[in-house]
Amino acid sequence: MSRRKLVVGNWKMNGMRAHLDEVEAIGKLAAQHPAVEVGLCLPATLIMAGSQLKGAAFIGAQNCHMELSGAYTGSLSAEMLIEAGATWVITGHSERRETRGETNADVAAKSVAAHAAGMKVILCVGETLAVRDAGDADEVVTAQLLASLPEGASADWLAVAYEPIWAIGTGRIPTLEAIQSMHATLRAALASRIGPDQADAMRILYGGSMNGDNAAEIIALPDVDGGLVGGASLSAAKFEPVIAAAD
């Protein structure tokens, strides 16, 4: 099945209003590559302004709460994010799983809440270096995916991002063979839960030090449908070769 490539920048805790010109420039790049779906998951403070400059790109959020409202100081609901201009949201990023103690159940609940509000979701999974070195990566990441998978998961509104934790921001990446193998394993796991047709339609992204130098060979792998990109998405100049590689 032909799956439209999806390339999403995750700015993490980076970006001020002075950097909105990069959002606008990336939106223009997206217009030059209509075969690729391009997005930016911005810090919450930039979502509203960024959504006015996004051009052909979409604007996403980096997290949402599983409740619609309530006494959750410092949190944002999916409805709030939509009102600000976000149409996608990341759930289960390893940095939140590791430092915020988010569980698989939390991730599933957030994904359900986002979908119920009308957002699309990028669900992240990945293993530590210790797990990889022990030879348990396939088992651990598959279990994490299935335990985090929201009820009603569908390729219409959900994408999966495989992010080996040890490769995020380090410049180290798995071999091409290891990346393809994990993506194929995750697709098989999805098929066991949501059926082969939905699994075949689901986009599975690679994240973990993807940049303009390695994007082309990674995205060319049969089960890799794009990338969730960190530092290389902070400027149009660095993000452009990644987008072009997906086209």
Side-chain angles (χ1 to χ4, degrees), residues 49-133:
S51 67
Q52 298 170 1
L53 299 170
K54 64 182 179 60
F58 66 77
I59 299 299
Q62 299 172 17
N63 182 46
C64 72
H65 201 276
M66 64 277 288
E67 300 293 343
L68 291 179
S69 62
Y72 305 105
T73 302
S75 297
L76 297 172
S77 72
E79 287 186 342
M80 291 173 176
L81 295 168
I82 290 171
E83 186 174 67
T87 55
W88 286 72
V89 65
I90 296 171
T91 62
H93 194 282
S94 63
E95 290 163 358
R96 295 196 62 85
R97 289 183 187 263
E98 293 287 303
T99 66
R100 301 290 180 172
E102 291 190 2
T103 66
N104 292 324
D106 292 335
V107 174
K110 289 183 177 190
S111 300
V112 167
H115 173 54
M119 299 187 89
K120 295 184 178 182
V121 176
I122 299 169
L123 170 60
C124 299
V125 294
E127 84 280 4
T128 64
L129 184 58
V131 168
R132 168 64 63 173
D133 287 345

Side-chain angles (χ1 to χ4, degrees), residues 126-241:
E127 84 280 4
T128 64
L129 184 58
V131 168
R132 168 64 63 173
D133 287 345
D136 297 328
D138 283 7
E139 180 181 354
V140 168
V141 179
T142 296
Q144 187 181 61
L145 173 63
L146 294 178
S148 301
L149 201 65
E151 287 294 324
S154 166
D156 293 339
W157 61 272
L158 183 72
V160 172
Y162 165 59
E163 297 191 305
I165 297 170
W166 49 274
I168 298 173
T170 65
R172 297 178 58 192
I173 63 170
T175 64
L176 294 177
E177 292 78 12
I179 294 172
Q180 167 56 25
S181 175
M182 180 63 79
H183 279 239
T185 296
L186 293 176
R187 200 174 301 283
L190 287 168
S192 73
R193 179 65 61 84
I194 60 176
D197 290 344
Q198 278 294 324
D200 194 37
M202 187 80 68
R203 290 179 290 186
I204 306 178
L205 314 181
Y206 174 77
S209 295
M210 179 181 279
N211 56 48
D213 293 330
N214 59 33
E217 59 183 5
I218 295 173
I219 295 175
L221 296 170
D223 282 294
V224 177
D225 303 309
L228 182 59
V229 183
S233 71
L234 295 175
S235 73
K238 291 182 178 179
F239 205 22
E240 191 279 333

Side-chain angles (χ1 to χ4, degrees), residues 2-78:
S2 178
R3 295 177 293 269
R4 186 185 181 193
K5 299 296 186 183
L6 174 62
V7 176
V8 183
N10 176 16
W11 277 23
K12 305 188 180 184
M13 198 173 72
N14 296 290
M16 306 290 281
R17 291 186 66 86
H19 302 116
L20 286 169
D21 57 339
E22 296 293 348
V23 175
E24 185 173 18
I26 290 167
K28 291 177 179 178
L29 285 176
Q32 297 170 21
H33 298 277
V36 183
E37 189 169 9
V38 178
L40 289 173
C41 290
L42 301 176
T45 53
L46 294 183
I47 289 174
M48 186 172 291
S51 67
Q52 298 170 1
L53 299 170
K54 64 182 179 60
F58 66 77
I59 299 299
Q62 299 172 17
N63 182 46
C64 72
H65 201 276
M66 64 277 288
E67 300 293 343
L68 291 179
S69 62
Y72 305 105
T73 302
S75 297
L76 297 172
S77 72

